[in-house]
């Protein structure tokens, strides 16, 4: 595949949706610098995993769950993604939003504020989650929150020590389990009005985290705990793990 062009900033106001079904917004505009030289010629979400772009697996998963509206929030080499996915399968709609190659994740989300939907589901273009989307959606609707993020348990490999001002140990926990964010959330479109220019100006990732913190402080952020399979990759070792996992996952699904 030839090296693609860098996208130019565009507005999402001209991105028509076929209906008001919950759209899936895929954040796929990052540079993936830790995967160079692969990402010198391809956007990270287009890196082949067992011969197919990572985005293929994400789209296949959501289509089997009945989703048909997809918004590709592109950036770095976004033209390659648009060229590859321009022709949507029958019954599906693919739209492309580009806030510019240097835009943060939060700015990419803010750019799709004019889609004409009440809420949208967000996932990352380098992350596959075997998500119970029906339960996830019901949990969000029942919560009354602006956003519901997907979390998963992770065990800290160390003994965690807490001390007071005099270095007296007040607590010792061996290998505690925490919840960590795994790269998917449902967001109410009205919540985009809470995004300030200061947040939009923050570095990639920082603005989104700060928005989540602000929502949490107002009691408007909820968590949905996922206990099933998930995979993402940022390094060559993780890429190999993604190939092994997704190869087994989709082979198993095809045998059912």
């Amino acid at each position: 595949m030839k090296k693609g062009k860098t996208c130019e900033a565009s507005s999402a106001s001209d991105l028509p949706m076929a209906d008001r079904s919950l759209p899936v917004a895929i954040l796929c505009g990052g540079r993936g610098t830790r995967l160079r030289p692969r990402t010198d010629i391809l956007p990270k979400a287009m890196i082949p995993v067992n011969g197919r772009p990572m985005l293929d697996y994400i789209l296949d998963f959501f289509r089997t769950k009945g989703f048909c509206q997809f918004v590709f929030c592109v950036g770095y080499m976004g033209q390659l993604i648009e060229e590859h996915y321009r022709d949507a399968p029958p019954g599906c709609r693919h739209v492309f939003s580009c806030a510019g190659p240097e835009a943060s994740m939060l700015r990419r989300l803010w750019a799709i504020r004019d889609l004409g939907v009440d809420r949208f589901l967000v996932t990352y273009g380098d992350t596959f989650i075997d998500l119970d989307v029906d339960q996830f959606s019901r949990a969000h609707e029942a919560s009354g929150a602006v956003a519901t993020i997907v979390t998963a348990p992770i065990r800290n490999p160390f003994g965690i020590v807490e001390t007071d001002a005099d270095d007296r140990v007040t607590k010792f926990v061996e290998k505690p389990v925490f919840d960590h964010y795994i790269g998917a959330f449902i967001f109410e479109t009205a919540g985009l009005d809470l995004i300030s220019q200061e947040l939009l100006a923050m570095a990639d990732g920082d603005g989104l985290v700060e928005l989540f913190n602000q929502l949490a402080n107002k009691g408007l952020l909820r968590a949905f705990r996922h206990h099933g399979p998930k995979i993402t990759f940022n390094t060559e070792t993780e890429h190999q793990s993604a190939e092994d996992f997704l190869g087994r996952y989709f082979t198993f699904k095809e045998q059912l």
Side-chain angles (χ1 to χ4, degrees), residues 100-246:
E102 306 301 327
S104 67
M105 288 190 289
L106 186 60
R107 188 170 288 277
R108 296 187 197 287
L109 292 178
W110 192 72
I112 64 173
R113 62 194 181 281
D114 297 327
L115 284 177
V117 295
D118 294 330
R119 64 174 63 99
F120 49 89
L121 190 157
V122 180
T123 190
Y124 293 3
D126 61 358
T127 301
F128 178 90
I129 308 170
D130 187 12
L131 186 62
D132 187 334
V133 290
D134 291 330
Q135 187 177 357
F136 180 32
S137 181
R138 288 194 296 267
H140 174 74
E141 290 188 29
S143 72
V146 168
T148 300
I149 60 175
V150 180
T151 66
I154 184 171
R155 182 176 294 278
N156 190 305
F158 306 105
I160 302 301
V161 178
E162 296 180 8
T163 61
D164 63 15
D166 295 321
D167 289 333
R168 284 189 293 264
V169 174
T170 59
K171 190 174 184 180
F172 185 102
V173 182
E174 177 65 11
K175 300 179 180 178
V177 176
F178 300 100
D179 284 337
H180 74 296
Y181 169 60
I182 59 173
F185 57 94
I186 293 178
F187 199 89
E188 296 293 311
T189 303
L192 294 176
D193 292 336
L194 302 175
I195 299 175
S196 65
Q197 290 300 314
E198 289 75 15
L199 289 179
L200 292 174
M202 295 179 73
D204 192 28
D206 294 347
L208 183 61
V209 170
E210 180 56 28
L211 174 63
F212 285 160
N213 277 321
Q214 291 183 10
L215 292 176
N217 290 335
K218 296 175 182 178
L220 299 176
L221 182 69
R222 299 296 174 92
F224 175 81
R225 291 176 178 84
H226 171 72
H227 297 281
K230 60 185 183 303
I231 193 74
T232 190
F233 62 90
N234 292 294
T235 65
E236 286 294 342
T237 299
E238 291 172 346
H239 177 261
Q240 183 60 55
S241 297
E243 289 197 321
D244 294 342
F245 169 81
L246 290 172

Side-chain angles (χ1 to χ4, degrees), residues 51-67:
R52 303 178 65 200
M54 184 64 176
L55 275 173
D56 274 11
Y57 295 96
I58 297 167
L59 291 168
D60 285 353
F61 173 80
F62 281 104
R63 285 172 184 151
T64 62
K65 301 296 183 180
F67 289 82

